[in-house]
Amino acid sequence: KEHDHPIGGFGWGDALVLIATFTQSFLVLVIVFGIFHRSDLSFDAVVKFFAVGFTICVPVGFMLEAIIMNGLFMMYYVTFYVLHWIGSDDFDDWYEDYYAYIHIAGELVNAFFIAALVEELCKYYGFRFLEHPDLIFITGLDRSAAQTRDTGGLDSYKYDSQLVSNFSQDSGGGDCESETDSRGRKRKSKRRRSILREEEDEDEPDLRSLQQQAAAITTGMICVAVGLACAENFLYVFFLGGAGGDEGSVGQEMAVLIFRSIFPVHALSAAMQSINMVRKFIEERHGVEGNIGVGRIIFPAILLHGTFDAILLVVNGYIESAWERYEYENGGVDDDEVEAPYNVLAVNLIAPFGIVGVMAISFGWYTYQNKLQMLRLAKYDILKDRMRSGIDGFNAPNLV
């Protein structure tokens, strides 16, 4: 029985593919959260960050990509017809000679500017969109009473991310007073110690270490990315891949899902974003370079995401342009067994090795940066524990 609408043929095979689509995403969350970071972030936060990526980031991203793409196409056609009107046949000959290069340049713009930039921005702002108690230190709502007074009171809460990241950083200075004893040693004044005790009494300290807080940021950003990837897979598998319900379409759906699941680009790019997120909201409190903006946070992820997409799009663009040139020169293609008008071996080597190489380099960069960052945070944790010990009334004796 034939159906007028492709979804009307949704069968048991399509149902299995649908289950596999969500199972793949949940499996990534089980590995990232359930095995490695279960004590760093709550399950409630994981569900909410996943929902943000699934329900908010994807529709916003698709709308933005459609608007930008249509705007660029409009500029392209206007430029083309203006140059055609000016150059006439000379421009047409030039355009025909360099059509393949123009096509590839368009695919690069699509990969980096449209797909990578828009989707990485959606993931970043989707993560910042949700204010969860587990990540309260990002919002600035964990300020102490002294910090609230210094910034003008409760009515002047700063929403700017740079100011928020400076709240905790500024708490270490300001009212710090010191006394010098008879032997020339500096000691914290009683006023300073009383302020620190007052702040600790008013604000319940986060029991997690700085390393755990950093892991919570990484896990939350990965959850947003997995939610976005899950919704993307659903759209590509069932709407762009076709869900006719027959055996052939089910195999095509499964092939699309497997290919998109083998390379977790969204999850890895979110982890790469988290490196500079941790620098901005945790390491800046301890004197690390400041003024880390959105561009610096998402730039490594754009390089990964854009390069990954560029390899696929450029290869497809090269194949399409080769066939179009062949059809133009030969008046069409009537023989199904005609030899491909491009180097098949080179294409089959460049695409898989390029993709695997980009993923391997990106994963190596993240692993190296994360290791260095955790070592720095471990040192900060040790210093913080020593400061707390001094505040509680225990001072290690100085050796003379």
Side-chain angles (χ1 to χ4, degrees), residues 335-339:
D335 188 2
D336 295 335
E337 298 181 357
V338 65
E339 184 178 355

Side-chain angles (χ1 to χ4, degrees), residues 122-196:
C122 286
K123 286 189 287 187
Y124 171 79
Y125 283 108
F127 174 76
R128 296 301 308 279
F129 172 80
L130 177 61
E131 294 186 351
H132 195 275
D134 290 0
L135 298 172
I136 195 79
F137 56 89
I138 292 181
T139 65
L141 295 174
D142 61 338
R143 297 176 299 177
S144 63
Q147 290 173 319
T148 303
R149 290 193 301 269
D150 293 340
T151 54
L154 294 175
D155 294 333
S156 62
Y157 172 72
K158 303 291 193 304
Y159 286 91
D160 182 75
S161 60
Q162 183 60 40
L163 295 176
V164 169
S165 67
N166 288 335
F167 285 147
S168 297
Q169 183 179 355
D170 294 338
S171 65
D175 295 329
C176 183
E177 299 177 3
S178 60
E179 297 176 349
T180 305
D181 61 9
S182 59
R183 303 179 66 177
R185 296 175 299 187
K186 290 186 177 181
R187 294 179 179 176
K188 293 179 181 178
S189 65
K190 294 181 180 179
R191 179 172 177 269
R192 175 60 177 162
R193 290 196 296 269
S194 64
I195 289 176
L196 291 174

Side-chain angles (χ1 to χ4, degrees), residues 327-339:
E327 292 177 4
Y328 175 79
E329 295 176 350
N330 295 275
V333 179
D334 297 328
D335 188 2
D336 295 335
E337 298 181 357
V338 65
E339 184 178 355

Side-chain angles (χ1 to χ4, degrees), residues 167-234:
F167 285 147
S168 297
Q169 183 179 355
D170 294 338
S171 65
D175 295 329
C176 183
E177 299 177 3
S178 60
E179 297 176 349
T180 305
D181 61 9
S182 59
R183 303 179 66 177
R185 296 175 299 187
K186 290 186 177 181
R187 294 179 179 176
K188 293 179 181 178
S189 65
K190 294 181 180 179
R191 179 172 177 269
R192 175 60 177 162
R193 290 196 296 269
S194 64
I195 289 176
L196 291 174
R197 289 196 187 97
E198 177 186 353
E199 291 177 1
E200 286 206 343
D201 291 339
E202 290 181 355
D203 302 302
E204 182 180 354
D206 196 331
L207 298 179
R208 296 173 298 179
S209 65
L210 296 180
Q211 292 175 300
Q212 289 179 309
Q213 292 180 13
I217 291 177
T218 302
T219 305
M221 298 191 78
I222 290 177
C223 291
V224 174
V226 171
L228 183 146
C230 182
E232 251 193 7
N233 290 343
F234 174 78

Side-chain angles (χ1 to χ4, degrees), residues 10-23:
F10 192 90
W12 286 107
D14 300 298
L16 293 177
V17 175
L18 177 63
I19 294 174
T21 302
F22 284 89
T23 301

